[in-house]
C-alpha cells in the first residue's frame, strides 16, 4: 500500500500526464481539444454551392475563402450583369432580369495554390436556398446596441475570418428604433416623422450609411421589428405601418427582416390560426413584392405549428420555439430541448424555408435573464459546444452566432468555423436531418446530402462515456461506407454494416458515410 506521500505523488503525476495529453483542463474540466484543423495556406473556397436571387434585384456575394492573402478571384459563366472584384472576391451588380440557372465556377488563386468550387446561381422567386449564416447582436448588446457596435461586428466578421467560412448577415435585433414613453433623450419620441416614417433612435444616426458600410465589406445587413405596436423590448413596432416600414428598410439597404410577434397578441382579433397567420402573411406578401431581396425571418416562437405554414406565408425561416437564452438548464443545457423539439419538424424544412431553433450562444455571451450584467464566457463544456454546432448543422438551421463577435477565442472560432461541418448545414439538397433514434440516453440525427452521402450525428446525453452503435439497417442504407470524422476532417476507414463510437459525456461523433459507389 503506497504511503500518503506516495499516493499524493502518484495522483500529481497522473494529473500532469493527463494535462500534458490534453485530457483535462487545469480547472479540472474536460479538455478543450481544437478539433477543427487549421485551414491550409493555399486558397480553399467555402460556402453554399447554390444561391438564389430574384430577377433584376441588387446582387451581393462575397466569396468565402480561406488561405493566405493576396488571393485573386475569378469566375466562369457569371451572368453578364454581375461583376466580380478579383481582389476582394465580392460579386455585385444586378441579378439577370429573367429566371434561369447559371452554373458558375468560382476560382481562387494565390502564390501558394489555387481552388475552385461550383456555385449555381438560381434566378427566380426563391431566395435563401440554403440556411442563413451570420451574427445577431441580441445576446451581446440587448437594449444597448449602437451603430458603432454593428460596424465593429461587421469588421470582426471579416477580420476574424468568419466571413471566409460563409458567415454573411450582420443582423440588428430589437432596440434600434425609438421607445415610446422613454425619458431617455437618446431613445425618446417621436417614433415617426410627420409623414409617419419610422425613425431610428439617436444611437443610429444614419441607417443607410450603416448598410453601405456593411455592403462595402461584401456582407449583408439585417433589421428587426414587430407586427405589434411595440417590439418585445417596448420599442416602436410596425403595426398599421407595415408597408411603409418594409419599404423604408429596403430603402435603407437591409437584406433581412426578423419579424417578432411581441405585442401583436393585443391586436390579434382572436386566438384562431387565421388570426395568428395574418400579420405574417401580410408581411410575407409585402417583402416578396419589394424591389430588393429581403430574407424574412419569422419569429413567433412556433405558435400554430408555424413550420406547417411559414413557407406559404412568405417566410424564409421561422423560429420553432421560445428563446433559447431563456430556457433553464436542467440536467442538460437548454439547447438540447430546443434542438430536439426543432428536430421533430424536419419534413417542413427545405430550400427557401428553414426551421429556426434560435441562435448559437457560445463564446462571450450575455445573460438574457440579466442583460445588464454583461457578457461572460459560456458555461457549456467543450463537448456540449461541439454537440450544439453539430445539431444545428445536421438540422439545416440558420447558423447565426449571437455571442460577442469581437471577442472570439480560438476554441469558439474552431466550433463556429469548421468548413466540413458548415458544408453539412449548407448542403444543396436542403434536407433537414431526421431523428433516426432517440432515447433518454442518446440520439442520432441523419441528414442525406447532395452527393449521396449521409451525415450522421451520434449524441451522448448521459454524464458518462457511452458507446453508441448504428447499423446500416437502422439507417436504411446498404453496402460498404467510408466513414469520415467531420470535425477532425479525416477518414476513419471503411465499414461494412455498422459503426460504433465511444462518446464523451454530452458529446457527439459527427461523421459522413460515403457509399463505396460515390467515391
Ligand atoms: C424576443 C425574440 C428574441 C429577441 C427579443 C428582442 O424575445 O424571441 O430573439 O429578438 O425578442 O426583444
Amino acid at each position: 500500500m503506497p504511503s500518503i506521500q506516495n499516493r499524493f505523488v502518484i495522483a500529481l503525476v497522473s494529473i500532469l500526464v493527463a494535462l500534458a495529453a490534453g485530457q483535462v483542463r487545469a480547472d479540472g474540466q474536460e479538455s478543450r481539444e481544437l478539433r477543427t484543423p487549421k485551414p491550409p495556406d493555399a486558397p480553399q473556397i467555402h460556402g453554399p454551392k447554390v444561391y438564389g436571387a430574384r430577377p433584376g434585384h441588387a446582387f451581393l456575394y462575397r466569396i468565402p475563402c480561406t488561405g493566405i492573402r493576396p488571393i485573386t478571384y475569378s469566375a466562369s459563366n457569371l451572368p453578364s450583369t454581375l461583376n466580380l472584384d478579383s481582389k476582394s472576391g465580392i460579386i455585385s451588380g444586378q441579378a439577370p432580369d429573367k429566371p434561369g440557372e447559371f452554373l458558375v465556377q468560382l476560382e481562387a488563386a494565390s502564390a501558394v495554390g489555387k481552388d475552385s468550387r461550383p456555385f449555381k446561381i438560381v434566378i427566380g422567386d426563391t431566395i435563401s436556398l440554403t440556411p442563413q449564416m451570420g451574427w445577431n447582436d441580441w445576446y451581446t448588446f440587448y437594449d444597448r446596441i449602437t451603430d458603432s457596435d454593428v460596424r465593429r461586428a461587421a469588421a470582426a466578421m471579416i477580420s476574424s475570418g468568419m466571413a471566409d467560412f460563409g458567415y454573411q448577415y450582420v443582423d440588428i435585433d430589437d432596440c434600434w428604433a425609438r421607445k415610446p414613453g422613454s425619458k431617455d433623450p437618446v431613445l425618446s419620441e417621436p417614433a415617426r416623422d410627420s409623414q409617419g416614417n419610422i425613425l431610428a433612435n439617436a444611437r443610429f444616426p444614419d441607417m443607410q450609411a450603416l448598410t453601405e458600410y456593411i455592403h462595402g465589406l461584401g456582407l449583408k445587413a439585417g433589421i428587426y421589428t414587430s407586427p405589434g405596436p411595440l417590439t418585445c423590448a417596448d420599442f416602436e413596432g410596425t403595426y398599421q405601418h407595415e408597408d411603409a416600414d418594409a419599404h423604408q428598410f429596403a430603402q435603407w439597404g437591409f437584406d433581412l427582416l426578423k419579424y417578432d410577434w411581441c405585442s401583436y397578441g393585443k391586436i390579434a382579433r382572436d386566438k384562431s390560426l387565421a388570426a395568428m397567420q395574418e400579420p405574417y402573411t401580410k408581411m410575407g406578401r409585402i417583402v416578396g413584392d419589394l424591389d430588393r431581396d429581403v430574407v424574412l425571418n419569422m419569429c413567433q416562437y412556433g405558435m400554430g405549428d408555424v413550420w406547417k405554414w411559414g413557407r406559404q406565408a412568405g417566410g424564409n425561416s421561422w423560429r420553432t420555439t421560445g428563446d433559447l437564452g431563456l430556457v433553464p438548464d436542467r440536467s442538460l443545457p437548454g439547447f438540447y430541448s430546443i434542438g430536439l423539439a426543432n428536430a421533430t419538424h424536419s419534413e417542413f424544412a427545405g430550400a427557401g424555408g428553414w426551421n429556426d431553433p434560435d441562435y448559437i450562444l457560445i463564446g462571450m455571451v450575455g445573460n438574457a435573464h440579466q442583460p445588464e450584467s454583461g457578457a461572460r464566457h459560456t458555461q457549456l463544456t467543450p463537448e456540449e459546444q461541439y454537440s450544439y454546432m453539430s445539431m444545428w448543422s445536421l438540422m439545416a438551421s440558420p447558423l447565426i452566432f449571437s455571442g460577442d463577435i469581437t471577442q472570439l477565442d480560438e476554441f469558439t472560432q474552431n466550433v463556429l468555423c469548421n468548413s466540413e461541418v458548415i458544408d453539412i448545414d449548407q448542403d444543396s439538397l436542403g434536407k433537414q436531418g431526421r431523428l433516426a433514434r432517440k432515447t433518454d440516453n442518446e440520439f442520432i440525427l441523419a441528414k442525406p446530402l447532395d452527393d449521396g452521402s449521409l451525415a450522421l450525428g451520434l449524441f451522448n446525453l448521459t454524464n458518462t462515456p457511452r458507446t453508441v452503435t448504428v447499423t446500416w439497417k437502422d439507417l436504411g442504407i446498404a453496402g460498404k461506407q467510408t466513414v469520415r470524422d467531420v470535425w477532425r476532417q479525416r477518414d476513419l476507414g471503411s465499414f461494412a454494416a455498422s459503426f460504433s463510437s465511444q462518446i464523451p459525456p454530452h458529446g457527439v461523433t459527427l461523421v459522413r458515410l460515403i457509399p463505396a459507389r460515390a467515391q
Side-chain angles (χ1 to χ4, degrees):
M1 179 108 172
S3 70
I4 290 190
Q5 272 157 328
N6 281 351
R7 265 189 279 169
F8 175 74
V9 172
I10 291 167
L12 189 66
V13 167
S14 43
I15 289 172
L16 289 174
V17 167
L19 273 175
Q23 287 158 2
V24 276
R25 271 199 339 232
D27 58 7
Q29 307 244 334
E30 60 192 298
S31 107
R32 286 165 51 99
E33 177 206 2
L34 296 174
R35 290 194 189 153
T36 304
K38 282 227 170 322
D41 289 347
Q44 252 187 11
I45 304 178
H46 307 293
K49 291 183 180 163
V50 59
Y51 184 87
R54 296 204 174 108
H57 288 187
F59 187 104
L60 180 68
Y61 184 79
R62 177 186 185 276
I63 300 172
C65 184
T66 50
I68 289 180
R69 269 53 183 177
I71 292 175
T72 305
Y73 297 89
S74 56
S76 55
N77 205 29
L78 203 62
S80 60
T81 55
L82 300 181
N83 175 58
L84 165 61
D85 182 296
S86 63
K87 287 202 179 72
S88 64
I90 298 174
I91 303 173
S92 60
Q94 230 188 5
D97 278 337
K98 292 199 177 61
E101 291 190 0
F102 294 81
L103 301 175
V104 176
Q105 192 74 21
L106 304 174
E107 270 145 40
S110 76
V112 287
K114 59 181 182 189
D115 192 25
S116 74
R117 189 169 171 100
F119 184 64
K120 182 163 80 174
I121 298 179
V122 184
I123 306 298
D125 283 342
T126 313
I127 56 172
S128 238
L129 297 184
T130 63
Q132 308 112 47
M133 290 178 66
W135 175 83
N136 172 290
D137 83 77
W138 182 243
Y139 285 93
T140 305
F141 293 105
Y142 299 98
D143 64 356
R144 303 179 297 270
I145 186 69
T146 68
D147 171 285
S148 50
D149 295 329
V150 178
R151 284 172 191 254
R152 269 198 294 272
M157 193 175 277
I158 302 287
S159 63
S160 66
M162 276 183 74
D164 297 341
F165 289 87
Y167 291 90
Q168 187 185 27
Y169 287 91
V170 179
D171 295 341
I172 307 173
D173 207 271
D174 201 347
C175 309
W176 60 267
R178 306 272 179 127
K179 189 172 187 179
S182 169
K183 300 240 156 27
D184 181 344
V186 170
L187 306 177
S188 60
E189 292 168 282
R192 295 176 178 275
D193 70 14
S194 54
Q195 269 92 54
N197 297 315
I198 190 155
L199 297 171
N201 67 46
R203 294 175 183 151
F204 290 89
D206 188 340
M207 280 297 198
Q208 196 162 340
L210 177 56
T211 66
E212 274 167 18
Y213 172 76
I214 295 171
H215 292 154
L217 298 171
L219 303 175
K220 296 186 176 169
I223 196 162
Y224 166 106
T225 192
S226 167
L230 296 176
T231 66
C232 295
D234 293 335
F235 286 61
E236 177 77 359
T238 198
Y239 180 57
Q240 290 184 327
H241 299 274
E242 296 82 355
D243 196 65
D245 287 0
H247 281 85
Q248 177 69 82
F249 301 151
Q251 200 194 322
W252 278 338
F254 284 99
D255 309 287
L256 177 145
L257 173 64
K258 174 173 171 182
Y259 207 40
D260 194 352
W261 176 270
C262 303
S263 66
Y264 190 81
K266 297 196 186 103
I267 301 299
R269 67 190 129 83
D270 54 39
K271 292 201 177 338
S272 66
L273 182 62
M276 188 184 287
Q277 292 173 331
E278 216 169 81
Y280 287 94
T281 310
K282 182 174 194 174
M283 188 50 90
R285 207 175 309 119
I286 295 170
V287 166
D289 284 344
L290 291 171
D291 58 4
R292 182 170 185 84
D293 286 1
V294 176
V295 167
L296 182 60
N297 172 224
M298 298 178 12
C299 178
Q300 44 80 289
Y301 337 117
M303 292 185 300
D305 293 352
V306 63
W307 43 90
K308 295 184 180 156
W309 51 268
R311 176 190 302 270
Q312 226 179 330
N316 298 112
S317 54
W318 41 85
R319 280 266 302 278
T320 54
T321 67
D323 294 15
L324 198 155
L326 293 173
V327 178
D329 295 341
R330 297 223 162 79
S331 56
L332 287 165
F335 76 85
Y336 282 109
S337 57
I338 294 272
L340 283 164
N342 188 74
T344 59
H345 315 311
S346 54
E347 68 191 277
F348 302 101
W354 309 99
N355 290 314
D356 173 6
D358 212 351
Y359 304 134
I360 299 173
L361 305 182
I362 61 172
M364 291 296 288
V365 60
N367 177 351
H369 294 285
Q370 292 167 309
E372 62 294 337
S373 65
R376 63 173 188 155
H377 200 268
T378 178
Q379 296 299 293
L380 297 176
T381 66
E383 291 299 337
E384 288 163 353
Q385 296 181 54
Y386 287 123
S387 295
Y388 196 158
M389 185 74 186
S390 302
M391 277 179 90
W392 263 232
S393 297
L394 285 161
M395 295 192 300
S397 311
L399 297 179
I400 310 284
F401 174 56
S402 192
D404 188 341
I405 192 170
T406 66
Q407 290 195 66
L408 283 174
D409 60 278
E410 202 184 14
F411 183 83
T412 307
Q413 185 134 2
N414 122 95
V415 174
L416 293 171
C417 295
N418 184 307
S419 58
E420 293 197 17
V421 175
I422 290 172
D423 278 350
I424 291 175
D425 180 79
Q426 294 290 304
D427 186 71
S428 310
L429 195 60
K431 290 252 187 252
Q432 174 173 335
R434 65 179 180 87
L435 269 176
R437 180 190 304 161
K438 166 78 179 74
T439 68
D440 287 347
N441 297 327
E442 63 187 41
F443 68 95
I444 296 176
L445 278 169
K447 181 183 200 285
L449 303 177
D450 193 46
D451 67 353
S453 66
L454 185 73
L456 202 62
L458 313 178
F459 295 84
N460 174 5
L461 293 172
T462 73
N463 294 324
T464 51
R466 180 179 182 83
T467 299
V468 179
T469 301
V470 65
T471 66
W472 294 181
K473 217 165 136 222
D474 295 337
L475 299 168
I477 58 172
K480 261 200 181 150
Q481 311 279 327
T482 296
V483 176
R484 183 166 175 82
D485 177 333
V486 176
W487 278 104
R488 298 186 181 86
Q489 302 185 358
R490 61 172 188 239
D491 290 348
L492 299 175
S494 176
F495 293 72
S498 69
F499 174 71
S500 291
S501 182
Q502 230 232 358
I503 306 170
H506 298 187
V508 61
T509 294
L510 179 63
V511 291
R512 256 178 69 211
L513 307 187
I514 306 157
R517 61 178 183 282
Q519 286 165 50

